[in-house]
Amino acid sequence: MTMVVTSEDAVQETTITRRPSRKALWLLAPGVLWMLLFLVLPLLMMVYVSFWTQTTFKIEPTLTLQSWITFLTSPTYLGALWTTVRIWLLVLLSTLVVGYPAALFVGLLVKNKTLQTVLLVLCVIPFWTSFLIRVLAWRPMLGTEGAINMILMNLGIIHQPIEVLLFSELSVIIGMTQIYCVFMVGPIAFMLGRIDASVIEAAQDLGAGFWRIFRTIILPLSLPGVVVGAIFVSVMVLGEFATSAALSGRKVNLLGNIIVTQVGSLKWAFAAVAGVVLTIIMGAVVAVLLKIVDLRKEL
């Protein structure tokens, strides 16, 4: 008697084999519990508090839309929202422009794996110091009597110090680009390092130039790294407040600064509204980026 195993039986058997057991699912319990306690519940509480009644000296759990109306009709809050989005886009673009060539060099052009590791370690050396020191270190660099102005004046390129370098939106973008650029370099370099060199060699043998190889092979294959780096940079930049406060002299008001100020003034409802808006923006940005590339398929 001969038994014939059909393809459907094989697929069904594979599906049954891959199905996690009940004991294996318990491994998820600590993570799920942690996320519920410290992510989901705080988010729900923040949404709830945003509808509380806020007065000058106290807040009451009486539900109202007043805080939302105040936020959505105030030029100050809407201006902070637009400034946050604008600086996020500029920092995202600048980290990509600065980080992609560095990742291209480290991940694709450097063949020695040890040298690749050394170069990536060099990229994260600034992170061996505290975040605040890295931010404040830009003040003696960007000031009117700072290093950049002194070098440009000594070279004869400028005759007067450039005042816009510090305590401006430009200084915030420069500081954030330096701080978060490594989060763009790492994922892109990782994806570039996975490209099979024989594919590029085959394209070169067929007569393709560098830009055609870059456009048709390198860029599409590195796109998942760009998306992962963009998610890292976006989430951190959208929630920023310290770099803006230190380098702009509080002239640049981000949503993060609004939240800190409102919490300091014990205006929890307004702070919760700003937090909910910021969370919605972050969620939308991550969702759009994940639509560009299916990371589950590419990674």
Side-chain angles (χ1 to χ4, degrees), residues 213-231:
I213 294 174
F214 177 79
R215 190 179 67 254
T216 57
I217 298 175
I218 297 175
L219 184 60
L221 293 179
S222 66
L223 202 54
V226 174
V227 171
V228 173
I231 290 174

Side-chain angles (χ1 to χ4, degrees), residues 183-196:
F183 295 101
M184 186 67 80
V185 173
I188 298 175
F190 174 75
M191 293 305 300
L192 290 172
R194 295 177 57 184
I195 296 177
D196 191 350

Side-chain angles (χ1 to χ4, degrees), residues 49-249:
V49 172
S50 70
F51 292 101
W52 284 14
T53 301
Q54 177 78 62
T55 61
T56 305
F57 300 104
K58 64 180 181 180
I59 182 171
E60 298 174 348
T62 305
L63 301 184
T64 177
L65 291 173
Q66 188 57 47
S67 296
W68 280 93
I69 295 173
T70 303
F71 183 90
L72 296 176
T73 57
S74 169
T76 301
Y77 297 142
L78 293 180
L81 176 61
W82 168 237
T83 302
T84 303
V85 174
R86 185 175 66 249
I87 287 185
W88 159 64
L89 290 173
L90 292 173
V91 173
L92 188 63
L93 179 63
S94 60
T95 52
L96 184 60
V97 170
V98 175
Y100 197 96
L104 188 64
F105 177 78
V106 174
L108 197 64
L109 300 183
V110 176
K111 304 298 181 185
N112 189 307
K113 295 298 181 183
T114 304
L115 184 57
Q116 278 187 355
T117 305
V118 171
L119 292 174
L120 288 175
V121 171
L122 288 176
C123 290
V124 300
I125 278 182
F127 286 80
W128 295 1
T129 60
S130 75
F131 174 84
L132 191 57
I133 291 176
R134 278 181 283 138
V135 173
L136 294 177
W138 277 104
R139 284 195 173 189
M141 292 288 292
L142 301 175
T144 54
E145 298 181 356
I148 294 178
N149 274 317
M150 294 295 291
I151 292 172
L152 293 177
M153 291 181 70
N154 289 333
L155 292 175
I157 299 175
I158 60 173
H159 300 288
Q160 291 183 345
I162 304 175
E163 297 183 358
V164 75
L165 286 180
L166 188 60
F167 300 133
S168 64
E169 194 169 303
L170 177 62
S171 62
V172 176
I173 294 171
I174 292 174
M176 287 188 182
T177 301
Q178 185 269 324
I179 293 170
Y180 299 119
C181 188
V182 66
F183 295 101
M184 186 67 80
V185 173
I188 298 175
F190 174 75
M191 293 305 300
L192 290 172
R194 295 177 57 184
I195 296 177
D196 191 350
S198 61
V199 177
I200 297 177
E201 291 175 359
Q204 290 173 335
D205 293 340
L206 292 173
F210 173 78
W211 290 111
R212 186 169 185 182
I213 294 174
F214 177 79
R215 190 179 67 254
T216 57
I217 298 175
I218 297 175
L219 184 60
L221 293 179
S222 66
L223 202 54
V226 174
V227 171
V228 173
I231 290 174
F232 287 158
V233 173
S234 299
V235 171
M236 287 183 283
V237 170
L238 287 171
E240 256 277 12
F241 64 92
T243 305
S244 172
L247 295 182
S248 74

Side-chain angles (χ1 to χ4, degrees), residues 76 79-81 83-84 244 248 250-255 257-258 261:
T76 301
L81 176 61
T83 302
T84 303
S244 172
S248 74
R250 300 187 183 279
K251 292 179 181 177
V252 177
N253 210 16
L254 304 178
L255 274 184
N257 301 104
I258 293 288
T261 303

